[in-house]
Amino acid sequence: MVHEAKRDAEVDKVSRVFGDYIKESPYLDWLWSDKLGYVLMQISFEGQEIMESHVIMEAERLCWILFNEIADDVVQRTPNDHATYEADLSERARIRKRLKPYTDQLPEYSYLCEKLWEQ
């Protein structure tokens, strides 16, 4: 018996808000599977391979993964080599600024930003 996935309005909303980011990223792809539902793939563009994939059933999880991706982007542009949760105050301010367009549109998930600093 084949399971038929169902769309979720809240996941669709989050994916629309992050749509340009996902589309422009060489490391992410967002797909719909009739069997699995929403699939977020983290890819290696150079190696043409899927590094990790996530079946997304909750908007909060999608938002969390994408907040982390954006925070990692910001940290990688600094000379410091550390994890996001180790970001100094200046880096945290840059991360918050980069996430602001998303948290403005998705205020219900803005609490996730503070979780970025937890180990």
Side-chain angles (χ1 to χ4, degrees), residues 74-75 78-80 82-84 86-96 117:
V74 172
V75 170
T78 69
N80 303 324
H82 57 69
T84 300
E86 298 172 312
D88 63 29
L89 293 177
S90 172
E91 291 167 331
R92 288 180 186 198
R94 281 182 274 175
I95 290 168
R96 283 187 184 99
W117 324 134

Side-chain angles (χ1 to χ4, degrees), residues 2-20:
V2 175
H3 172 75
E4 185 177 327
K6 297 194 182 338
R7 293 198 176 265
D8 179 274
E10 195 63 21
V11 174
D12 285 336
K13 176 183 170 185
V14 171
S15 69
R16 275 191 307 277
V17 168
F18 284 97
D20 287 342

Side-chain angles (χ1 to χ4, degrees), residues 37-97:
Y38 304 98
V39 180
L40 180 68
M41 294 188 306
Q42 293 168 307
I43 57 178
S44 166
F45 187 72
E46 297 81 20
Q48 297 290 305
E49 61 184 318
I50 299 168
M51 303 302 288
E52 194 170 346
S53 63
H54 306 274
V55 175
I56 303 293
M57 296 181 177
E58 298 171 346
E60 179 185 49
R61 181 160 183 247
L62 176 60
C63 200
W64 171 246
I65 292 168
L66 294 171
F67 278 2
N68 274 280
E69 285 288 324
I70 292 169
D72 287 348
D73 289 349
V74 172
V75 170
Q76 288 175 0
R77 289 189 177 109
T78 69
N80 303 324
D81 184 23
H82 57 69
T84 300
Y85 66 85
E86 298 172 312
D88 63 29
L89 293 177
S90 172
E91 291 167 331
R92 288 180 186 198
R94 281 182 274 175
I95 290 168
R96 283 187 184 99
K97 182 178 179 181

